[in-house]
Short mmCIF file of all heavy atoms in Angstrom, two decimals:
data_model
loop_
_atom_site.label_atom_id
_atom_site.label_comp_id
_atom_site.label_asym_id
_atom_site.label_seq_id
_atom_site.Cartn_x
_atom_site.Cartn_y
_atom_site.Cartn_z
N TYR A 423 98.15 163.95 6.09
CA TYR A 423 97.89 165.12 6.96
C TYR A 423 97.00 164.67 8.07
O TYR A 423 96.21 163.74 7.94
CB TYR A 423 97.31 166.23 6.16
CG TYR A 423 98.12 166.72 5.01
CD1 TYR A 423 98.12 166.09 3.81
CD2 TYR A 423 98.94 167.87 5.18
CE1 TYR A 423 98.93 166.52 2.73
CE2 TYR A 423 99.75 168.31 4.13
CZ TYR A 423 99.71 167.64 2.94
OH TYR A 423 100.55 168.11 1.92
N VAL A 424 97.06 165.35 9.22
CA VAL A 424 96.24 165.08 10.38
C VAL A 424 95.26 166.24 10.58
O VAL A 424 95.69 167.41 10.73
CB VAL A 424 97.11 164.86 11.64
CG1 VAL A 424 96.17 164.60 12.84
CG2 VAL A 424 98.08 163.72 11.46
N LEU A 425 93.99 165.98 10.63
CA LEU A 425 92.96 166.94 10.91
C LEU A 425 92.50 166.70 12.33
O LEU A 425 91.96 165.61 12.66
CB LEU A 425 91.79 166.83 9.89
CG LEU A 425 90.59 167.77 10.19
CD1 LEU A 425 90.99 169.19 9.94
CD2 LEU A 425 89.43 167.35 9.34
N SER A 426 92.65 167.73 13.16
CA SER A 426 92.16 167.63 14.55
C SER A 426 92.03 169.06 15.07
O SER A 426 92.06 170.03 14.33
CB SER A 426 93.13 166.81 15.38
OG SER A 426 92.62 166.58 16.72
N ASN A 427 91.94 169.21 16.39
CA ASN A 427 92.01 170.51 17.02
C ASN A 427 93.31 170.61 17.83
O ASN A 427 94.06 169.62 17.92
CB ASN A 427 90.77 170.74 17.88
CG ASN A 427 90.51 169.70 18.90
OD1 ASN A 427 91.48 169.23 19.56
ND2 ASN A 427 89.33 169.21 19.03
N GLU A 428 93.55 171.75 18.36
CA GLU A 428 94.78 172.00 19.10
C GLU A 428 94.99 171.10 20.30
O GLU A 428 96.11 170.66 20.62
CB GLU A 428 94.84 173.45 19.54
CG GLU A 428 96.21 173.94 20.06
CD GLU A 428 96.26 175.35 20.45
OE1 GLU A 428 95.62 175.71 21.47
OE2 GLU A 428 96.83 176.14 19.72
N THR A 429 93.87 170.71 20.98
CA THR A 429 94.03 169.91 22.20
C THR A 429 94.10 168.48 21.88
O THR A 429 94.38 167.65 22.79
CB THR A 429 92.81 170.17 23.09
OG1 THR A 429 91.65 169.63 22.54
CG2 THR A 429 92.68 171.68 23.41
N ARG A 430 93.74 168.03 20.66
CA ARG A 430 93.70 166.59 20.27
C ARG A 430 92.63 165.83 21.08
O ARG A 430 92.80 164.63 21.32
CB ARG A 430 95.05 165.92 20.43
CG ARG A 430 96.16 166.50 19.59
CD ARG A 430 95.97 166.18 18.11
NE ARG A 430 97.09 166.61 17.30
CZ ARG A 430 97.13 167.82 16.79
NH1 ARG A 430 96.22 168.72 17.05
NH2 ARG A 430 98.19 168.19 16.06
N ASN A 431 91.61 166.52 21.47
CA ASN A 431 90.50 165.88 22.19
C ASN A 431 89.28 165.96 21.31
O ASN A 431 88.71 167.02 21.02
CB ASN A 431 90.21 166.62 23.53
CG ASN A 431 91.23 166.26 24.57
OD1 ASN A 431 91.27 165.12 25.07
ND2 ASN A 431 92.04 167.25 25.02
N PHE A 432 88.76 164.71 20.96
CA PHE A 432 87.56 164.63 20.10
C PHE A 432 87.62 165.47 18.84
O PHE A 432 86.62 166.03 18.38
CB PHE A 432 86.29 164.98 20.91
CG PHE A 432 86.16 164.25 22.21
CD1 PHE A 432 85.99 164.91 23.39
CD2 PHE A 432 86.30 162.85 22.28
CE1 PHE A 432 85.81 164.24 24.59
CE2 PHE A 432 86.15 162.17 23.44
CZ PHE A 432 85.91 162.84 24.63
N GLY A 433 88.82 165.50 18.27
CA GLY A 433 89.03 166.33 17.06
C GLY A 433 88.56 165.78 15.77
O GLY A 433 88.57 166.50 14.76
N ALA A 434 88.12 164.52 15.77
CA ALA A 434 87.56 163.96 14.52
C ALA A 434 86.40 164.76 14.01
O ALA A 434 86.07 164.80 12.81
CB ALA A 434 87.24 162.53 14.67
N VAL A 435 85.64 165.41 14.91
CA VAL A 435 84.45 166.13 14.56
C VAL A 435 84.77 167.31 13.67
O VAL A 435 83.94 167.93 13.03
CB VAL A 435 83.66 166.61 15.83
CG1 VAL A 435 84.32 167.75 16.46
CG2 VAL A 435 82.23 166.92 15.43
N CYS A 436 86.03 167.72 13.59
CA CYS A 436 86.44 168.83 12.70
C CYS A 436 86.04 168.62 11.30
O CYS A 436 85.79 169.58 10.53
CB CYS A 436 87.94 169.04 12.78
SG CYS A 436 88.55 169.68 14.37
N ILE A 437 85.90 167.30 10.90
CA ILE A 437 85.51 167.02 9.49
C ILE A 437 84.08 167.55 9.20
O ILE A 437 83.65 167.68 8.02
CB ILE A 437 85.66 165.51 9.17
CG1 ILE A 437 85.78 165.34 7.67
CG2 ILE A 437 84.49 164.73 9.77
CD1 ILE A 437 87.03 165.89 7.07
N ALA A 438 83.28 167.79 10.26
CA ALA A 438 81.92 168.26 10.08
C ALA A 438 81.82 169.76 10.26
O ALA A 438 80.68 170.32 10.23
CB ALA A 438 81.01 167.56 11.08
N TYR A 439 82.96 170.48 10.40
CA TYR A 439 82.90 171.91 10.56
C TYR A 439 82.48 172.57 9.24
O TYR A 439 82.68 172.06 8.17
CB TYR A 439 84.29 172.46 10.92
CG TYR A 439 84.71 172.26 12.38
CD1 TYR A 439 84.00 171.43 13.25
CD2 TYR A 439 85.84 172.88 12.90
CE1 TYR A 439 84.42 171.26 14.51
CE2 TYR A 439 86.25 172.71 14.20
CZ TYR A 439 85.51 171.89 14.98
OH TYR A 439 85.91 171.70 16.32
N ASP A 440 81.92 173.79 9.38
CA ASP A 440 81.45 174.52 8.20
C ASP A 440 82.63 174.81 7.27
O ASP A 440 83.70 175.28 7.70
CB ASP A 440 80.83 175.87 8.66
CG ASP A 440 79.58 175.68 9.48
OD1 ASP A 440 78.96 174.62 9.35
OD2 ASP A 440 79.26 176.56 10.25
N HIS A 441 82.45 174.51 5.98
CA HIS A 441 83.37 174.84 4.96
C HIS A 441 84.73 174.08 4.98
O HIS A 441 85.60 174.32 4.14
CB HIS A 441 83.70 176.37 4.90
CG HIS A 441 82.45 177.24 4.97
ND1 HIS A 441 81.46 177.16 4.02
CD2 HIS A 441 82.10 178.15 5.90
CE1 HIS A 441 80.51 177.99 4.36
NE2 HIS A 441 80.84 178.59 5.47
N ILE A 442 84.92 173.19 5.98
CA ILE A 442 86.24 172.58 6.18
C ILE A 442 86.61 171.70 5.00
O ILE A 442 87.77 171.65 4.58
CB ILE A 442 86.28 171.79 7.50
CG1 ILE A 442 87.74 171.40 7.86
CG2 ILE A 442 85.41 170.55 7.44
CD1 ILE A 442 88.60 172.57 8.20
N LEU A 443 85.65 171.00 4.42
CA LEU A 443 85.91 170.15 3.28
C LEU A 443 86.45 170.87 2.09
O LEU A 443 87.51 170.44 1.47
CB LEU A 443 84.67 169.29 2.85
CG LEU A 443 84.12 168.39 3.96
CD1 LEU A 443 82.74 167.85 3.56
CD2 LEU A 443 85.07 167.21 4.20
N ASP A 444 85.87 172.04 1.79
CA ASP A 444 86.31 172.86 0.69
C ASP A 444 87.71 173.45 1.02
O ASP A 444 88.55 173.60 0.08
CB ASP A 444 85.33 173.92 0.32
CG ASP A 444 84.10 173.40 -0.35
OD1 ASP A 444 84.22 172.32 -1.04
OD2 ASP A 444 83.06 174.00 -0.28
N LEU A 445 87.90 173.86 2.24
CA LEU A 445 89.16 174.47 2.61
C LEU A 445 90.33 173.49 2.49
O LEU A 445 91.41 173.81 1.96
CB LEU A 445 89.10 174.99 4.05
CG LEU A 445 88.28 176.20 4.30
CD1 LEU A 445 88.08 176.51 5.79
CD2 LEU A 445 88.89 177.45 3.57
N ILE A 446 90.10 172.23 2.87
CA ILE A 446 91.12 171.19 2.67
C ILE A 446 91.38 170.95 1.26
O ILE A 446 92.57 170.86 0.74
CB ILE A 446 90.71 169.92 3.43
CG1 ILE A 446 90.62 170.14 4.91
CG2 ILE A 446 91.67 168.78 3.09
CD1 ILE A 446 90.06 168.95 5.68
N GLY A 447 90.31 170.84 0.41
CA GLY A 447 90.47 170.67 -1.01
C GLY A 447 91.21 171.78 -1.65
O GLY A 447 92.05 171.52 -2.53
N SER A 448 91.00 173.00 -1.26
CA SER A 448 91.72 174.16 -1.79
C SER A 448 93.23 174.10 -1.43
O SER A 448 94.07 174.43 -2.26
CB SER A 448 91.16 175.45 -1.26
OG SER A 448 89.81 175.60 -1.67
N ALA A 449 93.50 173.65 -0.19
CA ALA A 449 94.91 173.51 0.17
C ALA A 449 95.62 172.39 -0.56
O ALA A 449 96.77 172.54 -0.94
CB ALA A 449 94.96 173.22 1.70
N LEU A 450 94.93 171.30 -0.79
CA LEU A 450 95.58 170.14 -1.50
C LEU A 450 95.46 170.25 -3.02
O LEU A 450 96.27 169.61 -3.72
CB LEU A 450 94.87 168.84 -1.07
CG LEU A 450 94.91 168.47 0.43
CD1 LEU A 450 94.19 167.14 0.66
CD2 LEU A 450 96.29 168.38 0.94
N LYS A 451 94.51 171.04 -3.49
CA LYS A 451 94.27 171.24 -4.94
C LYS A 451 93.90 169.93 -5.68
O LYS A 451 94.16 169.75 -6.77
CB LYS A 451 95.51 171.86 -5.56
CG LYS A 451 95.82 173.28 -5.08
CD LYS A 451 97.05 173.83 -5.77
CE LYS A 451 97.24 175.30 -5.43
NZ LYS A 451 97.36 175.49 -4.00
N GLU A 452 93.29 169.01 -4.91
CA GLU A 452 92.79 167.80 -5.46
C GLU A 452 91.79 167.08 -4.49
O GLU A 452 91.75 167.48 -3.32
CB GLU A 452 93.87 166.87 -5.84
CG GLU A 452 94.71 166.36 -4.69
CD GLU A 452 95.74 165.32 -5.14
OE1 GLU A 452 95.34 164.22 -5.54
OE2 GLU A 452 96.99 165.57 -5.05
N SER A 453 91.06 166.10 -4.99
CA SER A 453 90.14 165.35 -4.13
C SER A 453 91.01 164.51 -3.21
O SER A 453 92.25 164.29 -3.39
CB SER A 453 89.26 164.45 -4.97
OG SER A 453 88.46 165.22 -5.86
N TYR A 454 90.38 164.00 -2.13
CA TYR A 454 91.22 163.39 -1.09
C TYR A 454 90.35 162.35 -0.32
O TYR A 454 89.10 162.37 -0.27
CB TYR A 454 91.78 164.35 -0.15
CG TYR A 454 90.75 165.28 0.49
CD1 TYR A 454 90.12 164.98 1.71
CD2 TYR A 454 90.38 166.51 -0.12
CE1 TYR A 454 89.21 165.83 2.27
CE2 TYR A 454 89.49 167.39 0.46
CZ TYR A 454 88.87 166.99 1.63
OH TYR A 454 87.95 167.86 2.21
N TYR A 455 91.08 161.37 0.28
CA TYR A 455 90.46 160.38 1.17
C TYR A 455 90.51 160.90 2.64
O TYR A 455 91.39 161.63 3.04
CB TYR A 455 91.21 159.08 1.10
CG TYR A 455 90.97 158.32 -0.17
CD1 TYR A 455 91.81 158.38 -1.21
CD2 TYR A 455 89.83 157.51 -0.32
CE1 TYR A 455 91.62 157.68 -2.44
CE2 TYR A 455 89.55 156.84 -1.48
CZ TYR A 455 90.41 156.93 -2.56
OH TYR A 455 90.19 156.28 -3.70
N ILE A 456 89.51 160.50 3.39
CA ILE A 456 89.37 160.85 4.82
C ILE A 456 89.36 159.57 5.59
O ILE A 456 88.47 158.74 5.44
CB ILE A 456 88.11 161.65 5.08
CG1 ILE A 456 88.05 162.92 4.23
CG2 ILE A 456 87.96 161.99 6.55
CD1 ILE A 456 86.70 163.52 4.13
N ILE A 457 90.37 159.37 6.40
CA ILE A 457 90.60 158.10 7.13
C ILE A 457 90.36 158.36 8.64
O ILE A 457 91.07 159.21 9.22
CB ILE A 457 91.99 157.57 6.95
CG1 ILE A 457 92.25 157.37 5.40
CG2 ILE A 457 92.22 156.26 7.67
CD1 ILE A 457 93.70 156.97 5.10
N PRO A 458 89.40 157.67 9.22
CA PRO A 458 89.14 157.89 10.66
C PRO A 458 90.25 157.19 11.54
O PRO A 458 90.23 156.02 11.75
CB PRO A 458 87.78 157.22 10.89
CG PRO A 458 87.72 156.20 9.79
CD PRO A 458 88.47 156.72 8.62
N SER A 459 91.16 158.02 12.05
CA SER A 459 92.24 157.47 12.86
C SER A 459 91.76 157.09 14.26
O SER A 459 92.10 156.04 14.77
CB SER A 459 93.39 158.54 12.93
OG SER A 459 94.37 158.10 13.85
N SER A 460 90.84 157.94 14.85
CA SER A 460 90.25 157.66 16.11
C SER A 460 89.19 158.76 16.39
O SER A 460 89.02 159.62 15.47
CB SER A 460 91.32 157.69 17.27
OG SER A 460 91.69 159.08 17.54
N VAL A 461 88.61 158.71 17.56
CA VAL A 461 87.66 159.79 17.86
C VAL A 461 88.34 161.18 17.94
O VAL A 461 87.68 162.22 17.94
CB VAL A 461 86.89 159.52 19.19
CG1 VAL A 461 86.01 158.28 19.01
CG2 VAL A 461 87.86 159.40 20.36
N HIS A 462 89.67 161.12 17.98
CA HIS A 462 90.41 162.40 18.15
C HIS A 462 90.89 163.04 16.93
O HIS A 462 91.32 164.24 16.93
CB HIS A 462 91.57 162.19 19.17
CG HIS A 462 91.15 161.59 20.47
ND1 HIS A 462 90.27 162.29 21.29
CD2 HIS A 462 91.44 160.45 21.14
CE1 HIS A 462 90.06 161.60 22.37
NE2 HIS A 462 90.73 160.44 22.29
N GLU A 463 91.03 162.30 15.84
CA GLU A 463 91.56 162.90 14.63
C GLU A 463 91.20 162.12 13.37
O GLU A 463 90.85 160.95 13.45
CB GLU A 463 93.09 163.04 14.66
CG GLU A 463 93.89 161.76 14.67
CD GLU A 463 94.15 161.25 16.10
OE1 GLU A 463 94.53 162.07 16.92
OE2 GLU A 463 93.95 160.00 16.36
N MET A 464 91.30 162.77 12.25
CA MET A 464 91.17 162.18 10.94
C MET A 464 92.48 162.33 10.17
O MET A 464 93.21 163.29 10.35
CB MET A 464 90.02 162.88 10.11
CG MET A 464 88.66 162.74 10.68
SD MET A 464 87.92 161.10 10.33
CE MET A 464 86.19 161.36 10.64
N ILE A 465 92.72 161.31 9.33
CA ILE A 465 93.94 161.38 8.45
C ILE A 465 93.48 161.74 7.05
O ILE A 465 92.48 161.17 6.54
CB ILE A 465 94.69 160.05 8.43
CG1 ILE A 465 95.01 159.58 9.81
CG2 ILE A 465 95.92 160.17 7.57
CD1 ILE A 465 95.92 160.53 10.63
N ILE A 466 94.09 162.73 6.43
CA ILE A 466 93.77 163.17 5.11
C ILE A 466 94.84 162.74 4.12
O ILE A 466 96.01 163.00 4.37
CB ILE A 466 93.60 164.70 5.08
CG1 ILE A 466 92.61 165.22 6.12
CG2 ILE A 466 93.23 165.18 3.67
CD1 ILE A 466 91.18 164.72 5.95
N VAL A 467 94.47 162.09 3.10
CA VAL A 467 95.41 161.56 2.04
C VAL A 467 94.95 162.06 0.68
O VAL A 467 93.83 161.70 0.26
CB VAL A 467 95.53 160.05 2.08
CG1 VAL A 467 96.63 159.64 1.08
CG2 VAL A 467 95.89 159.55 3.46
#
C-alpha cells in the first residue's frame, strides 16, 4: 500500500499524523512494515 497525500508532495510526513498508525493497523488487522519510498510517500507492507 502507498501512504501519501492527494497531491503526492512531501506525503511521507503522513506517517507522523495523529492516530494514523492505529488507523492503518485497524485497516490491515495486523502489524506492518513502513518502507520510506521517498520524501513523498511511504510503502506499507
Side-chain angles (χ1 to χ4, degrees):
Y423 300 83
V424 178
L425 176 68
S426 187
N427 55 44
E428 190 178 72
T429 69
R430 298 288 184 276
N431 283 294
F432 307 129
V435 76
C436 291
I437 202 64
Y439 284 11
D440 296 336
H441 314 300
I442 193 69
L443 296 170
D444 286 336
L445 288 171
I446 296 173
S448 297
L450 299 181
K451 296 180 172 57
E452 62 175 295
S453 300
Y454 53 91
Y455 286 97
I456 303 163
I457 303 172
S459 174
S460 73
V461 295
H462 303 300
E463 66 269 316
M464 294 284 195
I465 305 299
I466 306 298
V467 184

